[in-house]
Amino acid sequence: MESDYVTTPFGRRPMSLAMLLKQRRGEAIAAGTTRNKWKLFRSVCEARAGLDVTDRALTVLDALLTFYPEDELSSDKPLVVFPSNAQLSLRARGMAAATLRRHLAVLVEAGLISRKDSPNGKRYVRRGREGGIDEAYGFSLAPLLARAGEIETMAARIVADRQMLRGLKERLTICRRDIGKLISAAVEEAVPGDWQRISSTFQAILQRIPKAASLENLPPILKELEITREKIVNLLELHEKMQMPSASESQIERHIQNSHPESIIEFEAGLESGQGVTAERRAERNDQPETKPDDDSPEAQASGGERWRFAVRKRATELKSFPLTMILQACPHISDYGPGGAIGSWRDLMTAVIVVRTMLHVSPSAYEQACAVMGPENAATVIACILQRGGCIHSAGGYLRDLTRRAERGEFALGPMLMALLRAKDPPVAKLS
């Protein structure tokens, strides 16, 4: 419905083209348009920021709506309300007259109401003989009804944005908490990693969080925090995976020792601890011709206890060797240090191990002792395993010396170490038959 004429303002208020366009647009309501006035007012409150109106102006609009006698705003009925300043002030919570006029102007400027001034500037109604309204002068609610669809869409968008922003803030809070506690746990449990740098990066990101968060400035910061949290979780999971193969290796070695009580490993461990060897067994082994040393050898010149240590050391050097392909499969990192970035033979492996040994700060004496006890191929294999598990080994040289001492006592085997590395790979490697 469109008005038949244009209403110009009363008194000294000037007319403008913008006011004319707002009047024409506000009066152009599609036929049959209806809205519940209170639901529409709630949408206006939700869309307040987009409509550029204040909360005090909404108080005045609320008061104006109370003067409309029906709950439904309809394009088929008159939409002009005509309260006096005194009554409007009472329903606007006692708002002063000057403040009331200022906020009425805000509502008109926002295109939510329009003025329909009488010849003398007063607000009144002229009724017909049947009591119906023939002419009314005051404030028209037609612009509010004409923009109902626009206001409802704007309100729905603002509500959705507010919910999205709330969700972003919740995710950011949880992410901040997760990162702080994960870093504290990693430092307390001495997990390898540059936690000082990670903590500094985390604090730098937090400094960039704006006080007035919005959908434009918050997502990039949240993304950085989530990436940081993912990196920390990956470091902790990698540390946990490296700890699990180590525990599995120890369990396998204990199982091997305990499941074969008559084996050389069990017997030699008993010799080193001084338990589990009876006098008869010592005599029986001393009488065996194949273990009796030559008269000129250091073994023959040693005392009885030292003679058995020579025998233990001799057996310890007889560690089982494994195929080169299996070693490269379990320890793929060693290939990067081979000639040309690849390893195709045991000689290439030995060459790569020399480079890796220096890089891991393993002393020449520690490596030479390992070669003497385990054999060159097995010692090279151990260095490759240390490189593969470098993230959880703080001192490669000390770890190699410890393995060498265990090999001397017959308490070390390469098989469990290689199998643990094969199982730790992702995706899992099939068991070798």
Side-chain angles (χ1 to χ4, degrees):
M1 178 180 77
E2 296 187 7
S3 60
D4 297 334
Y5 58 90
V6 174
T7 302
T8 57
F10 172 79
R12 297 180 180 179
R13 294 195 306 272
M15 184 66 179
S16 65
L17 294 179
M19 188 181 300
L20 173 63
L21 292 175
K22 286 181 181 179
Q23 280 191 20
R24 303 301 291 179
R25 187 168 60 245
E27 297 293 336
I29 307 174
T33 302
T34 59
R35 288 293 189 282
N36 181 281
K37 65 180 181 180
W38 299 121
K39 291 182 179 180
L40 182 56
F41 176 71
R42 177 169 296 184
S43 297
V44 173
C45 293
E46 293 285 0
R48 180 171 69 88
L51 295 172
D52 196 22
V53 293
T54 63
D55 53 347
R56 299 296 298 278
L58 292 180
T59 301
V60 176
L61 179 61
D62 181 30
L64 287 174
L65 289 174
T66 62
F67 288 100
Y68 190 76
E70 300 179 15
D71 286 341
E72 293 288 330
L73 298 176
S74 174
S75 60
D76 299 331
K77 296 181 180 180
L79 295 173
V80 177
V81 293
F82 38 88
S84 64
N85 285 338
Q87 292 297 320
L88 185 57
S89 177
L90 287 175
R91 296 197 187 184
R93 280 70 172 171
M95 189 176 294
T99 307
L100 194 65
R101 286 193 295 271
R102 187 169 65 252
H103 292 301
L104 284 170
V106 170
L107 292 175
V108 173
E109 184 66 23
L112 297 178
I113 62 173
S114 62
R115 298 178 187 271
K116 188 174 181 181
D117 291 343
S118 64
N120 60 1
K122 303 294 184 178
R123 301 181 203 126
Y124 60 87
V125 60
R126 182 177 294 112
R127 299 182 181 275
R129 292 183 179 180
E130 298 178 355
I133 297 176
D134 284 347
E135 195 68 49
Y137 299 99
F139 297 102
S140 174
L141 301 176
L144 181 64
L145 183 60
R147 298 182 62 188
E150 175 193 349
I151 292 171
E152 289 166 350
T153 302
M154 187 184 302
R157 184 178 67 252
I158 290 176
V159 170
D161 290 346
R162 185 167 63 246
Q163 292 177 347
M164 185 179 299
L165 182 60
R166 185 187 301 118
L168 289 175
K169 289 181 178 179
E170 291 174 353
R171 287 170 55 191
L172 187 140
T173 300
I174 294 174
C175 198
R176 287 176 59 180
R177 182 185 65 197
D178 290 347
I179 293 175
K181 293 194 174 184
L182 288 174
I183 291 177
S184 298
V187 172
E188 289 177 2
E189 299 186 17
V191 177
D194 191 358
W195 299 111
Q196 183 65 33
R197 181 184 60 80
I198 294 175
S199 179
S200 300
T201 303
F202 173 51
Q203 294 300 326
I205 296 175
L206 294 184
Q207 293 295 328
R208 300 205 312 270
I209 297 178
K211 292 183 179 180
S214 65
L215 291 176
E216 288 74 26
N217 56 28
L218 204 58
I221 297 175
L222 177 60
K223 185 176 180 180
E224 289 187 52
L225 287 175
E226 289 179 340
I227 292 174
T228 302
R229 179 177 60 181
E230 184 177 358
K231 290 180 180 178
I232 294 174
V233 171
N234 290 339
L235 285 174
L236 296 179
E237 287 182 348
L238 179 61
H239 175 72
E240 184 66 21
K241 288 181 180 180
M242 289 180 175
Q243 292 296 325
M244 291 175 62
S246 178
S248 301
E249 176 186 334
S250 301
Q251 293 174 2
I252 292 172
E253 290 179 2
R254 288 196 296 271
H255 175 72
I256 292 174
Q257 294 174 10
N258 295 332
S259 60
H260 300 285
E262 298 299 329
S263 66
I264 295 176
I265 297 176
E266 181 73 11
F267 179 65
E268 291 169 356
L271 284 176
E272 196 65 26
S273 61
Q275 299 176 356
V277 182
T278 62
E280 291 88 1
R281 183 159 304 183
R282 288 195 186 95
E284 180 182 350
R285 288 191 175 270
N286 279 328
D287 291 337
Q288 292 179 0
E290 63 273 15
T291 60
K292 189 174 181 179
D294 296 334
D295 294 338
D296 296 334
S297 65
E299 196 172 342
Q301 298 174 4
S303 60
E306 290 293 326
R307 191 175 302 157
W308 281 104
R309 289 184 181 274
F310 276 113
V312 169
R313 187 169 299 176
K314 181 178 179 181
R315 292 188 181 93
T317 58
E318 299 174 356
L319 286 175
K320 179 182 178 181
S321 298
F322 291 88
L324 180 61
T325 54
M326 178 181 178
I327 295 169
L328 296 178
Q329 189 178 12
C331 310
H333 293 171
I334 193 68
S335 299
D336 297 335
Y337 301 91
I343 293 177
S345 64
W346 283 102
R347 184 177 180 180
D348 293 342
L349 178 62
M350 301 295 182
T351 304
V353 164
I354 297 300
V355 178
V356 172
R357 176 188 66 76
T358 305
M359 182 183 69
L360 296 177
H361 304 290
V362 176
S363 63
S365 61
Y367 182 64
E368 290 173 3
Q369 185 180 6
C371 290
V373 174
M374 303 179 188
E377 293 83 2
N378 291 331
T381 302
V382 170
I383 292 292
C385 292
I386 292 175
L387 175 66
Q388 192 69 26
R389 295 176 54 192
C392 61
I393 298 175
H394 297 289
S395 175
Y399 186 66
L400 179 62
R401 289 186 184 275
D402 181 67
L403 294 183
T404 303
R405 287 192 294 268
R406 290 170 59 189
E408 284 183 323
R409 298 194 300 267
E411 297 176 354
F412 171 70
L414 277 174
M417 178 180 283
L418 291 173
M419 293 303 296
L421 289 174
L422 287 171
R423 286 194 303 273
K425 292 181 63 178
D426 189 18
V429 179
K431 294 183 178 180
L432 298 175
S433 58

